[in-house]
Amino acid sequence: MTGKLHMFLETMETYQKAIADDSIIAITDREKFIGYLSIPGLAVNFPMGTPIDAIPNSITRKALNAQTTLREERGPEAFGFPYVATATPIWENGEIVGALTVSTTTAKMTTLRGVSEHLAASAEQMTATTEQLAGASAEMAEQVRALAAESEQVLRELDNIRSIAQLVKEVSEQSHLLGLNAAIEAARAGEHGRGFNVVAGEVRKMAEQSKSSAASIDGELDNIEAAVKRMNADIRGITAKFGVHVASIKELQAAYEHVAASADDILQAARTPQ
């Protein structure tokens, strides 16, 4: 065993403790394992003297052949747990005498990737839902605004009807006055004006009925106008609330988009080799 390999064997335990994540340390010469430190909970072990080539497609063998440091990530197929392995040739006096291989478990990173993917998918779904909700709310707000415009139109129509009712009232008053004058003239005419007096009475009666109907219509218009104004006030309140609701949904959508972006950043970081 060369001095360089002996030095690595003496410091491998310290090196393992210095690594933050759970890592397996293996030291080999050019053909076999000469040092190995596992971690608690893992049943993987390679007794001293185990040939490097006993591990199929070993990164240690690849690094020795390539004469450079190599790194690769593997799933749990080989040893039952996912890991990232880094193999570095050990040089002494200008030639490779062995290799230092560090295999770091990536179970936590795999879990983080899964959580990030789930979070990103959930955030994307929530973003799509809030987009639909925002669209529906905006459409409903527009419909409420249209209803408010219709109620304003109803109020204008009521004013027109009130004008007509006022005209009927004025006509009835004039008709009543005309009938009264006609009755006076009929009385002056005596027997010859008796038939005309009957007509004058009917005119006054019709005028009174028209006046009463106009007053009744005017009262109903007052009630309708009061109801429409109350409805209009309620519509304005709903419109204001819709505005706040739509703004809140947009803020929620922006928050979901931020969550989705953060989840994607975490996922990309988890996928990127360190």
Side-chain angles (χ1 to χ4, degrees):
M1 182 185 301
T2 68
K4 199 72 168 287
L5 290 176
H6 183 73
M7 181 190 70
F8 272 96
L9 287 173
E10 287 185 339
T11 59
M12 62 185 299
E13 186 173 349
T14 302
Y15 185 65
Q16 186 189 49
K17 292 179 180 179
I19 301 175
D21 295 322
D22 294 336
S23 298
I24 297 171
I25 308 296
I27 298 177
T28 66
D29 57 20
R30 294 184 61 85
E31 300 298 334
K32 62 185 181 300
F33 284 85
I34 60 174
Y36 187 87
L37 285 178
S38 187
I39 55 177
L42 294 182
V44 179
N45 198 0
F46 294 97
M48 299 305 96
T50 300
I52 297 174
D53 295 332
I55 304 174
N57 202 25
S58 167
I59 189 174
T60 302
R61 177 57 69 192
K62 292 178 182 178
L64 289 172
N65 292 339
Q67 298 185 1
T68 188
T69 299
L70 296 179
R71 176 189 177 90
E72 64 182 17
E73 183 174 354
R74 290 190 176 183
E77 297 80 12
F79 303 114
F81 61 91
Y83 65 95
V84 173
T86 302
T88 302
I90 300 173
W91 294 80
E92 185 173 9
N93 297 326
E95 65 178 45
I96 296 176
V97 295
L100 170 66
T101 303
V102 179
S103 300
T104 304
T105 61
T106 59
K108 294 179 182 178
M109 189 64 67
T110 301
T111 301
L112 179 61
R113 290 174 183 173
V115 172
S116 300
E117 290 174 350
H118 179 72
L119 180 60
S122 298
E124 183 178 351
Q125 182 178 3
M126 288 186 292
T127 300
T129 301
T130 53
E131 286 179 353
Q132 294 176 353
L133 184 59
S137 298
E139 183 177 351
M140 291 177 64
E142 186 61 32
Q143 292 175 351
V144 170
R145 282 191 289 269
L147 182 60
E150 291 292 336
S151 67
E152 294 289 347
Q153 180 63 30
V154 170
L155 290 176
R156 288 190 291 270
E157 295 295 336
L158 287 176
D159 288 338
N160 293 335
I161 296 173
R162 194 184 301 279
S163 298
I164 296 174
Q166 181 63 29
L167 179 61
V168 171
K169 184 178 180 181
E170 292 174 357
V171 171
S172 67
E173 290 175 349
Q174 293 176 0
S175 299
H176 184 272
L177 182 60
L178 181 61
L180 183 60
N181 291 334
I184 294 174
E185 294 298 327
R188 286 177 181 176
E191 186 66 23
H192 297 289
R194 183 178 298 176
F196 190 65
N197 188 42
V198 174
V199 174
E202 291 299 323
V203 169
R204 291 199 306 273
K205 186 184 296 183
M206 183 183 66
E208 287 294 335
Q209 290 175 348
S210 298
K211 184 178 180 180
S212 176
S213 296
S216 177
I217 291 173
D218 201 42
E220 290 298 327
L221 290 176
D222 287 340
N223 293 335
I224 295 173
E225 182 179 26
V228 172
K229 286 182 177 179
R230 288 194 299 270
M231 182 181 69
N232 205 19
D234 291 340
I235 290 173
R236 287 194 181 97
I238 293 173
T239 301
K241 290 180 180 178
F242 261 119
V244 174
H245 182 60
V246 171
S248 298
I249 289 178
K250 288 182 178 178
E251 291 179 0
L252 184 61
Q253 183 178 355
Y256 283 147
E257 289 174 351
H258 178 71
V259 171
S262 298
D264 188 62
D265 289 342
I266 294 173
L267 183 58
Q268 293 301 321
R271 287 175 174 171
T272 303
Q274 302 297 319

